[in-house]
Amino acid sequence: MEDEIVLTKVTLFEKIALSIQRLIDNEVLKPGDKMPSVRSLSLEQKVSMSTVFQAYYLLEKKGLIEARPRSGYYVRKSFKRNSQEPSATATWKMPINVRVDSLVSDFVKPHAKASVVDLSIAGPSVELLPVAKLNKSIQAVLREHKGKSFQYAFPPGDENLLRQIARLSLHWGGSLAKDEIIVTNGCMEAINICLRAVAKQGDTIAIESPTYYGVLQTIESLGMKVLEITTNPDTGIDVDELEKAIIKTKVAACLFTLNFNNPLGSCMPDSEKKRLVELLAKREIPLIEDDILGDIYFGKSRPKNAKSFDKHGLVLLCSSFSKTVAPGLRVGWTAPGRFKEKVERLKFMTSIAAPTLMQQAVAHFLENGRYDNHLKALRLAYHIQMRKYREAIFKYFPEGTKVTDPQGGHVIWIELPHKVNAIELQDIVLRQGIAILPGSIFSAKKRHENYIRIGYCNQFTPEVENALLIIGKCANNMLIEGN
Amino acid sequence: MEDEIVLTKVTLFEKIALSIQRLIDNEVLKPGDKMPSVRSLSLEQKVSMSTVFQAYYLLEKKGLIEARPRSGYYVRKSFKRNSQEPSATATWKMPINVRVDSLVSDFVKPHAKASVVDLSIAGPSVELLPVAKLNKSIQAVLREHKGKSFQYAFPPGDENLLRQIARLSLHWGGSLAKDEIIVTNGCMEAINICLRAVAKQGDTIAIESPTYYGVLQTIESLGMKVLEITTNPDTGIDVDELEKAIIKTKVAACLFTLNFNNPLGSCMPDSEKKRLVELLAKREIPLIEDDILGDIYFGKSRPKNAKSFDKHGLVLLCSSFSKTVAPGLRVGWTAPGRFKEKVERLKFMTSIAAPTLMQQAVAHFLENGRYDNHLKALRLAYHIQMRKYREAIFKYFPEGTKVTDPQGGHVIWIELPHKVNAIELQDIVLRQGIAILPGSIFSAKKRHENYIRIGYCNQFTPEVENALLIIGKCANNMLIEGN
């Protein structure tokens, strides 16, 4: 077992709330159970009653418990647990060509544009952006750097930003040096370049199933093949399955999102990450690790990433500040291990450099402790929103619907009864101004035809609740019509 | 002949100066010739004496004429003309693989970093950046768009920017609609994506010889081959040679910089551009046109680009604001004709979107007439600097040195006597704190071993003059040692 480094400052009431949350998550405290009274818990835990009140208030905000008048606090009833999670997808036996591009283009953008309530997005809504503080950082660096903010910041990137990114590695149990990092135009460019650095046209890339459609499009555009590996909605890639698959099939690289896979929200236990890295090292297979969501965790501490177990420079860690600070900045980065030189050259050839002012602004934002504070608020907001969305989905969606219980990130993956065709459903709800994503764009095999992805990035407003109600009704109608 | 649309406002004295400059360029007025007296020219041209003075002052600033005390104005002696231009490179008979990448990596960045006087750059120096006005544009859009400046601006890009880019097409005789354009992370990403849209691994791309090393690296990284076509230092690609070459060899696409090729500074006459477009249309060969320097012209009006003659959507025009506004913004664009849908998808897959705030700021900068004013000043500055650099090169470099007379852009291409090895020369002058680029990185065949490229982006200071003196001395020493 590795020691866990917990860098997040957790106040006393948050600590208590987290312990209780774990009890609820593990069903020690079950839906409908009465919570200990504030007085008794205060005595038991040797904390003030006001601390307990704060903890209960937080749990209530997260939608985990509810206050009943003159009766005390109860665990909310509407919770269903892991047994209701979507099933894991089987590993596909052969590498296959990817042909999702036109499907994605048909279903992603036009739908988001035409919608009033956009549940297809997976990035911070305007309310969750640190606009004022970003403005301050921009003003500060414009004053400080003057014309230099408008000149090239050639790869590897702005010195100051590289230092700040290296500093962040403490959060995930790593110890990156600044000269191991290359700044990119977002995480997608990082992944693109890393793929080109370790594999060529015709090569096979092992991926999770389901996986983010952007990754599938990228692999398709590079003329590479994919091998989809079984992924558990809780723990991610099945390392044993992967081992079997890579013995049978020559794989040029793996491309995994171990922390909060999009769309699953799964998180691989750190011990499994270690096993995974060791397995791939034995066979000299590079792992491109997309850790863009690692900082958006709902648990007590940030999960580690595979990079922290990498002793051979075979893990190409990719991330960005698109989901944690703001997507419009287009500031991403990669720590590509032994492939650094090649990746740095490819970065230059692909787009010369990342935008200078944006790099400087992010560096300033990180340097001044703004990142840590912002993240804390962001995680809480997403956690609360997730609970509320999830509850509404259980309430309004057809009997038999299975829903992930994401441990981080910002999307929920929903398995509807078999008779519901998600592409049809998407079309129907769009006509009522609601955008969702159908499951089939998350797999090269176009599986998941009765799945949808819903992002909980927008605040849970009455409009959102109504949208979920409409989606549920439409799905129910499809079931009735189907009979 | 096409009608020329001249959109630049030229004042009277500038007009007179330009006519005189043409006379000097065509050697009607030769070095050492006495200029007409201010009084006589004023009578002749029916303009005030002060207008003539202004015209002479401008020509003097450009280094074309000089005032001699109590004697009047003379055409400067140190000018050598086109007969002294480097020779055109022959078309290579077979497509070849590109292997310049490691050479470029060895010679470009480390040298620039280690230098005190950097003559290897080809982009605006800090003094030439519109820093104050960019700051104003940034402040304005931050106020106006608030959080929206930090959200995604998905492809094709920021609406306002697309409109402004479309408006600019009037300058080059085009009439782009805003929905024909896609914003990219600089021109290099545009070229990269366009290459991937029209060709695949193993395909052959026809390019100019010499050509910008970044383009060679990109083609290399995509596993494509190049066919180098003869290029004249004045008029660019030889269309007849190209025709012969594409009859013999299957070419998937052409990638040309018709306006101010880097490093040649050549400019293809508009009538030849028309021929070129027609020739390629007959054979359905796409032309990726890099017009990043088209706005930095020294003549009376902006040269057209091939896109303005494109009737079949076969020209993929690529450009950016890196050379004309500021490189650190990373705002480029492409108008890829019939390949638009594919290019737009590739843009998404490669890096999702271009930075939002930077797009909004450039749009604001363009909208408010800042671009036109800035360009006018920039062109004048580069033209003046070019003359001064060129003169110093003639003064200090060995007998037999041939120098281009660029009609735009910001680099000079220099052919040294055969015995000078440019890679050695680069190394020697770097030890004295001066960065230049050796010719061999501008060709896949590693030709041009006695060529160097010098950028005139920095102001012509005594330090720059001294640097050129040192380069000249070192080259002379190599000649003596070589004997």
Side-chain angles (χ1 to χ4, degrees), chain B residues 169-292:
Chain B
S169 66
L170 282 173
H171 285 268
W172 45 261
S175 56
L176 280 186
K178 74 177 169 51
D179 62 8
E180 293 177 70
I181 305 161
I182 296 156
V183 180
T184 58
N185 293 81
C187 189
M188 195 49 127
E189 190 183 68
I191 291 174
N192 229 286
I193 292 171
C194 287
L195 272 169
R196 289 169 65 193
V198 298
K200 57 185 193 308
Q201 196 175 312
D203 281 353
T204 298
I205 311 295
I207 58 167
E208 292 144 317
S209 177
T211 208
Y212 170 49
Y213 56 85
V215 160
L216 292 170
Q217 283 179 296
T218 295
I219 294 175
E220 176 175 354
S221 78
L222 296 172
M224 297 171 188
K225 293 181 169 130
V226 295
L227 184 65
E228 298 192 343
I229 307 292
T230 288
T231 306
N232 177 291
D234 272 328
T235 53
I237 280 281
D238 183 323
V239 180
D240 295 322
E241 277 286 324
L242 177 68
E243 184 165 16
K244 277 185 236 160
I246 58 177
I247 287 171
K248 239 189 277 173
T249 309
K250 190 176 152 45
V251 155
C254 297
L255 198 174
F256 298 151
T257 305
L258 306 173
N259 294 327
F260 322 126
N261 162 286
N262 169 3
L264 282 180
S266 57
C267 182
M268 182 182 273
D270 288 351
S271 56
E272 283 297 287
K273 285 174 191 150
K274 191 160 178 276
R275 261 188 78 209
L276 170 69
V277 171
E278 286 165 359
L279 168 69
L280 296 177
K282 252 192 294 180
R283 303 181 158 263
E284 290 259 321
I285 298 174
L287 165 62
I288 300 171
E289 181 180 27
D290 176 354
D291 199 27
I292 191 171

Side-chain angles (χ1 to χ4, degrees), chain B residues 325-342:
Chain B
V325 183
L329 304 168
R330 311 309 305 126
V331 175
W333 56 274
T334 174
R338 64 165 84 158
F339 306 98
K340 201 221 163 190
E341 204 190 326
K342 193 161 180 195

Side-chain angles (χ1 to χ4, degrees), chain A residues 79-267:
Chain A
F79 262 83
K80 304 182 193 175
R81 302 251 50 88
N82 289 345
S83 59
Q84 297 296 336
E85 286 215 348
S87 26
T89 329
T91 299
W92 203 258
K93 286 178 195 75
M94 290 281 293
I96 54 163
N97 287 312
V98 193
R99 304 229 191 289
V100 297
D101 180 23
S102 63
L103 193 66
V104 173
S105 301
D106 286 351
F107 288 112
V108 179
K109 262 207 344 194
H111 283 67
K113 264 194 183 167
S115 71
V116 183
V117 181
D118 186 1
L119 305 179
S120 74
I121 57 161
S125 59
V126 180
E127 308 86 47
L128 291 177
L129 295 173
V131 178
K133 282 177 180 163
L134 272 176
N135 276 347
K136 274 190 194 165
S137 286
I138 289 170
Q139 309 299 350
V141 296
L142 279 175
R143 270 195 308 275
E144 188 186 335
H145 297 284
K146 299 194 176 69
K148 299 235 158 162
S149 294
F150 302 119
Q151 287 197 305
Y152 287 117
F154 286 115
D158 176 79
E159 278 281 313
N160 209 4
L161 178 60
L162 294 172
R163 194 162 35 242
Q164 292 304 322
I165 293 171
R167 195 181 57 83
L168 284 185
S169 66
L170 283 173
H171 285 268
W172 45 262
S175 56
L176 280 187
K178 75 178 168 54
D179 62 7
E180 293 177 70
I181 304 161
I182 296 157
V183 180
T184 58
N185 293 81
C187 189
M188 195 48 127
E189 190 183 68
I191 291 173
N192 229 285
I193 291 171
C194 287
L195 272 169
R196 289 169 64 192
V198 299
K200 57 184 192 309
Q201 194 176 314
D203 281 353
T204 298
I205 312 296
I207 58 168
E208 291 143 317
S209 179
T211 206
Y212 169 49
Y213 56 85
V215 159
L216 292 171
Q217 282 179 298
T218 294
I219 294 175
E220 175 175 355
S221 78
L222 296 172
M224 297 169 187
K225 293 180 170 135
V226 294
L227 185 66
E228 298 191 343
I229 307 291
T230 288
T231 307
N232 178 290
D234 273 329
T235 54
I237 279 283
D238 183 322
V239 180
D240 295 322
E241 277 286 324
L242 177 69
E243 183 164 19
K244 277 186 237 158
I246 60 177
I247 287 171
K248 239 190 276 172
T249 309
K250 190 175 153 43
V251 155
C254 297
L255 197 175
F256 298 150
T257 303
L258 305 173
N259 294 327
F260 322 125
N261 163 288
N262 168 3
L264 281 180
S266 57
C267 182

Side-chain angles (χ1 to χ4, degrees), chain A residues 249-454:
Chain A
T249 309
K250 190 175 153 43
V251 155
C254 297
L255 197 175
F256 298 150
T257 303
L258 305 173
N259 294 327
F260 322 125
N261 163 288
N262 168 3
L264 281 180
S266 57
C267 182
M268 182 182 272
D270 289 350
S271 56
E272 283 297 288
K273 285 174 191 149
K274 191 161 179 275
R275 261 188 78 210
L276 170 69
V277 171
E278 286 165 359
L279 168 69
L280 296 178
K282 251 193 292 178
R283 305 185 156 258
E284 291 258 320
I285 297 174
L287 166 61
I288 301 171
E289 181 180 27
D290 177 353
D291 198 27
I292 192 171
L293 293 171
D295 278 347
I296 304 180
Y297 55 93
F298 302 149
K300 208 165 111 186
S301 64
R302 193 201 193 285
K304 294 193 175 194
N305 53 34
K307 185 74 183 174
S308 66
F309 300 106
D310 179 30
K311 288 175 187 151
H312 305 279
L314 274 166
V315 178
L316 302 91
L317 176 62
C318 298
S319 189
S320 95
F321 299 97
S322 295
K323 308 300 184 186
T324 48
V325 183
L329 304 168
R330 311 308 304 125
V331 175
W333 57 274
T334 173
R338 64 165 82 159
F339 307 97
K340 200 221 163 192
E341 204 190 327
K342 195 163 179 194
V343 168
E344 186 172 332
R345 285 191 207 172
L346 277 169
K347 165 61 194 164
F348 180 83
M349 290 174 224
T350 305
S351 58
I352 311 278
T356 310
L357 177 62
M358 302 292 87
Q359 292 189 60
Q360 294 170 340
V362 172
H364 188 272
F365 188 87
L366 293 172
E367 206 170 21
N368 289 272
R370 287 177 180 157
Y371 186 66
D372 296 338
N373 289 330
H374 172 65
L375 262 188
K376 211 171 157 184
L378 196 68
R379 281 197 301 264
L380 183 60
Y382 280 140
H383 199 174
I384 292 170
Q385 285 172 201
M386 185 271 282
R387 294 281 178 196
K388 290 183 179 167
Y389 272 70
R390 205 164 168 268
E391 197 175 328
I393 290 164
F394 278 125
K395 193 163 159 192
Y396 300 123
F397 279 36
E399 192 67 31
T401 298
K402 296 175 183 175
V403 182
T404 53
D405 190 10
Q407 302 163 61
H410 35 216
V411 297
I412 297 177
W413 181 239
I414 301 162
E415 183 181 352
L416 291 157
H418 274 287
K419 279 178 191 153
V420 178
N421 179 304
I423 289 182
E424 272 174 48
L425 178 63
Q426 185 198 33
D427 197 48
I428 292 167
V429 301
L430 182 67
R431 280 186 234 136
Q432 305 190 52
I434 303 158
I436 58 173
L437 289 182
S440 38
I441 61 172
F442 294 88
S443 158
K445 287 300 294 176
K446 300 189 184 59
R447 306 162 165 193
H448 314 297
E449 290 191 335
N450 55 323
Y451 285 68
I452 60 171
R453 190 193 82 176
I454 281 184

